[in-house]
Amino acid sequence: MDKLGSLQTFVKVVDEGSFAAAARAIGQSRSQVNRAVIALEEDLGVQLLNRTTRQVAVTPSGRAFYDRAKAVLADLHEAEEAIRENRETPSGDMRINAPMSFGTLHLGPALVDFARQYPDIRVELALSDRFIDPVADGYDMTVRISQPSETLALIDHEIIPMNRVLCASPDFIRKHGEPESPRDLATLPCLHYGSLPAGSSWKMNGPEGPVSVQVNGVFCCNNAEVLRDAALADLGLALLPTFIAGPDLQSGNLVSVLCDYSPPELFLYLLYPPSRQLSARIRLLVDFIYDRFGGQPHWDLVQ
């Protein structure tokens, strides 16, 4: 068996957990699968698997080699698909991860339109506010709202700045008064993103330069829509993305405060592995998202 075939067989054995299951999956005999792995081990000069009568266990060297082999096979598959897609109508599967609120409010409807426009591309959207590594977690693309971090392992496309606003309900302001400086946030009830034990330090840029204050957190959540609802319920001041708070700011249900101060700017950007760069599906989606959202330079008001 050629080395590529041996790599594929070894990866299948690890994925399936046994030689017998791998043999059934690829349509070969158990002895053929075993010989392919033995040949690979002899060529490398290391033992990749510990064998028992019922199952196999991956050695430390085998685990390291499996991870690299899996990536090589994925890159090869992606390169083949890229060439095929350049000759044909784009098709195939696309796994995308995105933040929960932005996904439900904006990206989800956009991807429905994308799927309608490209019916041969099967879209899988997973929404989560936890940090995702698109390579390790098997996603073709990750959509993030944060301050971009440079990494040589991933390609990123910055789409648009995402503004945030410090706001509260009119009834809260009437009851507690409007803050006159960021220092007031240390005593006024605040609604913050994260965990209650850790607290939250809010950073802002103002007339005197950058300031940071440890806020008086009375309610916290890892979802900004919940924090908006808490602000509407008069529980406290919240630092919210305008793509969430925009409609309530327009209607007057929320009012902005400390308007001379602004938090550090966040960005909507796309991350994907370099191996996906040649994919026609990825190019189409990047262009689609940029056309859909890139024309709203600060997202101050959501239609």
Side-chain angles (χ1 to χ4, degrees), residues 29 57 79 81-82 85 131 145 156 159 189 204 220 236 292-293:
S29 68
E81 284 202 336
E85 288 173 359
F131 182 86
I145 298 175
D156 68 272
I159 303 298
M204 295 186 175
C220 67
R292 181 72 168 245
F293 301 122

Side-chain angles (χ1 to χ4, degrees), residues 238-268:
L239 189 57
L240 297 174
T242 51
F243 75 82
I244 289 176
D248 291 300
L249 292 169
Q250 286 181 287
S251 67
N253 292 326
L254 293 175
V255 294
S256 59
V257 298
L258 292 179
C259 297
D260 291 336
Y261 295 84
S262 59
E265 199 168 48
L266 302 182
F267 294 87
L268 172 68

Side-chain angles (χ1 to χ4, degrees), residues 30-184:
R30 189 183 184 283
S31 60
Q32 285 177 301
V33 170
N34 191 38
R35 284 198 301 270
V37 176
I38 290 174
L40 190 59
E41 290 176 321
E42 291 176 348
D43 185 52
L44 294 171
V46 297
Q47 185 173 352
L48 301 174
L49 301 172
N50 290 319
R51 298 152 173 85
T52 68
T53 55
R54 294 187 177 182
Q55 61 182 9
V56 296
V58 187
T59 66
S61 295
R63 173 57 60 184
F65 186 72
Y66 168 82
D67 292 338
R68 296 296 297 271
K70 189 95 169 179
V72 167
L73 293 175
D75 289 348
L76 177 61
H77 176 72
E78 192 67 35
E80 291 173 342
E81 284 202 336
I83 297 300
R84 193 176 299 114
E85 288 173 359
N86 285 331
R87 295 186 291 104
E88 303 170 355
T89 301
S91 61
D93 300 335
M94 179 175 287
R95 299 187 71 230
I96 305 161
N97 169 262
M100 183 68 69
S101 293
F102 184 75
T104 56
L105 294 173
H106 301 290
L107 184 63
L111 289 180
V112 169
D113 292 341
F114 179 83
R116 186 183 296 117
Q117 187 171 340
Y118 301 101
D120 292 328
I121 297 178
R122 295 182 295 274
V123 176
E124 177 186 340
L125 174 63
L127 301 179
S128 172
D129 288 330
R130 73 180 182 89
F131 182 86
I132 292 292
D133 181 339
V135 177
D137 292 292
Y139 288 98
D140 297 292
M141 177 183 290
T142 294
V143 180
R144 286 191 182 153
I145 298 175
S146 67
Q147 295 174 322
S149 58
E150 295 183 3
T151 170
L152 298 178
L154 299 170
I155 294 173
D156 68 272
H157 282 276
E158 186 179 303
I159 303 298
I160 185 178
M162 303 294 278
N163 283 354
R164 290 177 291 166
V165 61
L166 183 62
C167 58
S169 68
D171 285 344
F172 177 88
I173 297 298
R174 281 191 288 269
K175 180 179 179 181
H176 295 273
E178 184 173 343
E180 297 180 358
S181 79
R183 289 186 296 274
D184 296 333

